[in-house]
Amino acid sequence: MNSNPLSDALAMRATASAFDAHRGKLPVPGGPHRSPDSVAVARQISELGKMITDLGDEVLFRATDQDREVHTARVITSFAATVRPAGEAAAALGAVAHQLSFLDQTEHLRDQPDARDAREAAVRVMDDVLGTAEVALREAADSLHAASATVSPPSVRLQAARSRSTTAAPAPGPLPPAGALAAAAPQDRIARSR
């Protein structure tokens, strides 16, 4: 595998997109389409575990490369730093799986007051840890997207388009006084709106 700024940036963007996709698949307690399901949560934990392994492989591949390029240290740092939020998301989903298992085991006790309180607490825990997973996955994706831009800056065409779009529009002038706007409006329009 050849490591160059463009291929490294593309690898980081692809990984960031995968984290975004995982965030989109997070269960939503009480949601009609994405309510927490033990199998789906376990599958997502497994997929995140594979992504963590892939992050480690990306770091290892570049760390053992004898012909490192100047940008390689930034790529290694970015992939390595993403392991932490990916692990936090996987751990949060592990807590969701634990709470789902508890709810399943206590289903037959749901009408008893003590069990009802414990079951409600389990749902609150799931809400909290799913929020943690969402934040962690967003952090992982955002950091990789940002890092990819530093490794492989935008193309010359994109830079030119950006410079044209920011300088082509004239700067807005001062706003006229509020009374001047009302005076400038046609009188028949004002009368119709009343």
Side-chain angles (χ1 to χ4, degrees):
M1 182 179 196
N2 187 15
S3 176
N4 60 60
L6 181 58
S7 67
D8 287 340
L10 290 174
M12 292 194 308
R13 288 181 194 130
T15 305
S17 294
F19 281 118
D20 283 332
H22 274 287
R23 191 164 42 92
K25 293 189 300 187
L26 284 175
V28 178
H33 303 293
R34 291 185 0 215
S35 61
D37 168 76
S38 295
V39 173
V41 169
R43 185 174 292 123
Q44 199 164 12
I45 294 168
S46 178
E47 290 169 359
L48 281 171
K50 290 175 187 167
M51 287 188 70
I52 292 169
T53 299
D54 290 344
L55 289 168
D57 290 346
E58 293 288 353
V59 170
L60 179 62
F61 164 73
R62 286 164 181 82
T64 59
D65 186 9
Q66 298 299 317
D67 300 320
R68 286 190 199 169
E69 293 194 34
V70 175
H71 74 281
T72 304
R74 280 181 285 174
V75 176
I76 291 171
T77 300
S78 298
F79 278 127
T82 306
V83 171
R84 183 195 49 77
E88 286 176 2
L93 286 172
V96 170
H98 180 240
Q99 298 305 319
L100 287 171
S101 177
F102 170 76
L103 290 173
D104 187 47
Q105 291 172 3
T106 59
E107 178 67 25
H108 65 285
L109 302 172
R110 70 178 177 271
D111 294 330
Q112 296 181 7
D114 290 343
R116 190 176 330 124
D117 291 345
R119 289 172 60 80
E120 288 172 0
V123 171
R124 285 192 301 273
V125 168
M126 280 195 301
D127 285 344
D128 289 346
V129 294
L130 283 170
T132 299
E134 197 272 335
V135 168
L137 291 171
R138 176 176 284 138
E139 179 186 337
D142 289 351
S143 69
L144 285 173
H145 279 301
S148 72
T150 65
V151 169
S152 180
S155 68
V156 173
R157 278 181 60 188
L158 182 58
Q159 288 176 355
R162 284 182 181 164
S163 68
R164 284 191 306 272
S165 68
T166 58
T167 58
L175 292 175
L181 288 176
Q187 291 304 317
D188 61 333
R189 285 181 94 176
I190 295 173
R192 276 187 277 162
S193 67
R194 288 184 187 160

